[in-house]
Amino acid sequence: MNPKISLEQWRALMSVVDAGGYAQAAEALHKSQSAITYAVQKLESVLGVKAFEVRGRKAVLTPTGQLLYRRAKTLLDDAESLERAA
């Protein structure tokens, strides 16, 4: 089975949470805000879920988003570990 979501999309999701928003995530990843927004929206579309809900000007994780965040963190940590081992 080929994954439908790239590591970059998972990284975008995590960065939005860790950095505190889309604009901050874009700055941290050296990408445009629209690229980060697109990556997260594509992830949500492919999976058929909503990871974030917007409250005022803040994007907040949904319960599903919280699960995805935790799993994405494990996935990216494992990918980094694999690269170090190689």
Side-chain angles (χ1 to χ4, degrees):
M1 178 179 145
N2 289 328
K4 295 178 177 99
I5 308 299
S6 71
L7 291 178
E8 281 302 311
Q9 289 168 300
W10 290 120
R11 189 171 286 112
L13 174 96
M14 285 192 53
S15 189
V16 170
V17 175
D18 293 342
Y22 286 88
Q24 298 89 334
E27 188 174 323
L29 295 176
H30 307 290
K31 295 185 180 281
S32 68
Q33 183 173 341
S34 61
I36 300 301
T37 301
Y38 178 77
V40 173
Q41 287 175 343
K42 179 81 171 163
L43 179 148
E44 290 176 322
S45 174
V46 168
L47 297 176
V49 300
K50 288 302 277 178
F52 294 98
E53 61 184 26
V54 178
R55 292 187 191 154
R57 295 181 50 104
K58 183 102 170 125
V60 179
L61 282 173
T62 64
T64 299
Q66 292 172 4
L67 173 68
L68 292 176
Y69 176 82
R70 288 191 306 271
R71 298 290 302 266
K73 180 165 179 31
T74 300
L75 174 67
L76 292 171
D77 287 347
D78 287 349
E80 186 179 315
S81 178
L82 176 60
E83 286 183 5
R84 277 195 310 268

